[in-house]
Amino acid sequence: NENLLVTGATGLGKSWIACALGHKACRDNRSVQYHRVPRLFEALALARGDGRYGRLLKTFSRVQLLILDDWGLSVLNPPELRDLLEILDDRHGRASTLVTSQVPVEHCHDVIGDPTLGDAILDRLVHNAHRLQLSGESMRKKNARNQTLDTNSNPGSNCRVSQSRCTPSRGTDAHDRLESPLTISEIRTDEQRVLAGGENRQGVELE
């Protein structure tokens, strides 16, 4: 019944690690719930209005592993602080909670805002928690740098495809059309050509 705090800058794989541990817990026949913290607070606010608040808190208290992702993206308001304290108090010493955050543990008080509630929340979360601090370069930035755009990897491919669809006709006009650069407005799909041909044939039959 120990907790885990995964902290580090954005793009380092905190959510990936949390989900991987959640999958492992599921394979070990343990109950798991995953929530992004901003959406969790929205769900709790709605539940407070329609009478599901107590039942929702009871569900959180019973799950064996509760994953709270993206905690600390913004300063918590008083109702959110009370919700978080209720969740952690019900789970303290009974079940495990995994929290991912960009905020280092020593700066958590800045996100919580209220010193009294902050001490109560961190006392139930931090003191029996393992800490995993990630560092390095964003994985999203690495992937974006390794990928090349289609226009760079195969320049002029769109022009060749569009020219291959042009059917030459008699006269110098056709030659001019093939020699002049094609624009996007000149490229028509096969379906559009069929529809255009059908309209022409219908017009001939009516005449």
Side-chain angles (χ1 to χ4, degrees):
N1 298 328
E2 297 177 345
N3 301 328
L4 174 62
L5 304 178
V6 183
T7 58
T10 182
L12 297 181
K14 300 184 297 297
S15 299
W16 187 91
I17 292 175
C19 291
L21 293 174
H23 281 290
K24 179 61 170 62
C26 289
R27 290 196 296 269
D28 293 340
N29 294 323
R30 290 178 168 85
S31 58
V32 179
Q33 281 195 14
Y34 169 92
H35 295 279
R36 291 191 67 251
V37 172
R39 295 183 180 178
L40 172 64
F41 289 141
E42 292 177 1
L44 288 171
L46 293 174
R48 189 182 292 107
D50 58 19
R52 295 182 295 109
Y53 183 76
R55 187 165 66 251
L56 197 57
L57 288 180
K58 186 177 294 185
T59 301
F60 294 150
S61 66
R62 291 176 177 176
V63 67
Q64 293 177 290
L65 174 60
L66 178 64
I67 300 175
L68 302 179
D69 194 14
D70 283 338
W71 181 77
L73 293 180
S74 60
V75 178
L76 303 180
N77 57 42
E80 293 173 346
L81 289 175
R82 289 191 292 269
D83 290 341
L84 184 59
L85 179 59
E86 290 293 334
I87 293 173
L88 295 178
D89 185 62
D90 291 342
R91 298 179 56 78
H92 181 67
R94 302 182 182 92
S96 298
T97 304
L98 193 161
V99 177
T100 71
S101 176
Q102 298 182 34
V103 182
V105 176
E106 55 271 17
H107 296 158
C108 285
H109 274 285
D110 299 335
V111 176
I112 295 175
D114 189 308
T116 303
L117 289 176
D119 289 338
I121 290 172
L122 295 179
D123 182 67
R124 291 163 173 78
L125 179 64
V126 174
H127 295 310
N128 65 335
H130 301 276
R131 302 184 187 183
L132 179 60
Q133 174 69 40
L134 304 181
S135 61
E137 187 179 9
S138 172
M139 297 174 62
R140 300 185 184 94
K141 185 177 180 180
K142 289 182 179 180
N143 293 335
R145 188 167 56 241
N146 293 334
Q147 293 175 353
T148 56
L149 297 178
D150 295 337
T151 55
N152 294 332
S153 61
N154 192 11
S157 60
N158 292 336
C159 294
R160 289 196 294 271
V161 172
S162 61
Q163 288 181 359
S164 63
R165 293 181 178 178
C166 295
T167 56
S169 59
R170 299 178 182 178
T172 57
D173 292 338
H175 175 74
D176 294 338
R177 288 196 298 272
L178 290 176
E179 290 296 326
S180 62
L182 296 177
T183 61
I184 296 177
S185 60
E186 298 175 43
I187 302 174
R188 299 191 300 176
T189 62
D190 295 336
E191 183 179 356
Q192 290 174 329
R193 291 192 182 90
V194 172
L195 293 176
E199 292 173 358
N200 293 335
R201 287 193 296 270
Q202 184 178 6
V204 173
E205 292 174 359
L206 290 176
E207 293 176 358

